[in-house]
Amino acid sequence: LLQNRKTNWRQLLQYSLLGILPLATALALTLGYNWLRFGSLTEMGLTYQNGDPIFLNDLNKYGVFNLHYVPINFYYHYIFYPLPTRSDSALGGSLFLLSPIFFAAFWGFKQIKPRSLAIALVATIIITDIPLLLFYATGLYQFGPRYTLDFIVPLMLLTAAGIKKWPNWLVAILALAAFIQYTIGILGVLGSSM
């Protein structure tokens, strides 16, 4: 729309409808799946989850989505460092400390032009992360940051823009550090949960 803002409004409306078509298709498929699997358009399986007892008290008290969960989810998604593995290592781990190459996303934000694209990528991450931070569980028996796959595309785009001028050896060291940490963590968490 930004590139074609001089086009007449009917053409812009057609472009907008074409842009919305994949989203509408995905929504229709999701609603159909929910209906076929759970017998309801809006049920996504949350009432069928077999929650761990450590989460059930909060779930019964606060529900599935609540501001109460934001501090603990933020901590386990972005701050907590789970190595060496211990009992709470299965609750999460810092996206940036475990995958240090993602620190490049901050440089990427400064590099991407036009600014509106960089802002749109960050806004996409934030909007996607809101329900993840409000969700009642950080998850269990999973090493690393929770649910960040939901916003991995804009995060990868920011990261790619950020590492463009970084030396290859630094990128390789950061990628290797992530690989080693996740290998140690997954073996430790899975070994302790069995």
Side-chain angles (χ1 to χ4, degrees):
L1 291 175
L2 287 174
Q3 291 175 349
N4 295 294
R5 61 182 171 260
K6 295 179 182 174
T7 308
N8 68 54
W9 69 271
R10 287 183 187 187
Q11 192 70 36
L12 287 177
L13 182 61
Q14 287 177 338
Y15 290 152
S16 299
L17 291 175
L18 283 174
I20 291 172
L21 184 62
L23 298 174
T25 302
L27 178 63
L29 290 171
T30 300
L31 293 174
Y33 174 80
N34 292 345
W35 179 262
L36 292 172
R37 182 160 187 203
F38 304 111
S40 167
L41 293 175
T42 57
E43 173 61 61
M44 301 182 82
L46 290 176
T47 57
Y48 296 94
Q49 284 189 349
N50 187 11
D52 191 275
I54 68 171
F55 299 119
L56 291 180
N57 287 338
D58 276 355
L59 176 62
N60 293 330
K61 186 174 182 180
Y62 299 105
V64 176
F65 293 97
N66 194 295
L67 287 172
H68 168 78
Y69 306 122
V70 171
I72 193 165
N73 284 337
F74 187 86
Y75 174 73
Y76 281 109
H77 288 206
Y78 300 109
I79 298 170
F80 177 69
Y81 189 70
L83 292 175
T85 57
R86 51 197 179 274
S87 61
D88 60 345
S89 292
L91 294 175
S94 171
L95 170 69
F96 297 105
L97 295 178
L98 290 173
S99 303
I101 200 162
F102 286 138
F103 278 114
F106 297 103
W107 281 266
F109 178 75
K110 295 173 90 175
Q111 300 298 319
I112 292 178
K113 305 291 186 240
R115 297 302 308 146
S116 57
L117 176 58
I119 291 168
L121 290 170
V122 171
T124 301
I125 292 170
I126 291 170
I127 290 168
T128 304
D129 202 28
I130 289 171
L132 304 177
L133 292 173
L134 293 170
F135 190 57
Y136 84 94
T138 61
L140 196 58
Y141 305 128
Q142 175 180 326
F143 183 83
R146 303 293 175 197
Y147 314 117
T148 51
L149 187 60
D150 292 359
F151 56 77
I152 198 71
V153 172
L155 180 62
M156 293 289 280
L157 291 171
L158 287 165
T159 301
I163 64 170
K164 226 191 285 190
K165 295 180 181 175
W166 287 14
N168 289 339
W169 62 265
L170 177 59
V171 174
I173 288 173
L174 294 175
L176 182 61
F179 176 78
I180 291 169
Q181 291 181 106
Y182 277 103
T183 301
I184 293 169
I186 288 171
L187 294 174
V189 169
L190 291 179
S192 68
S193 67
M194 294 183 173

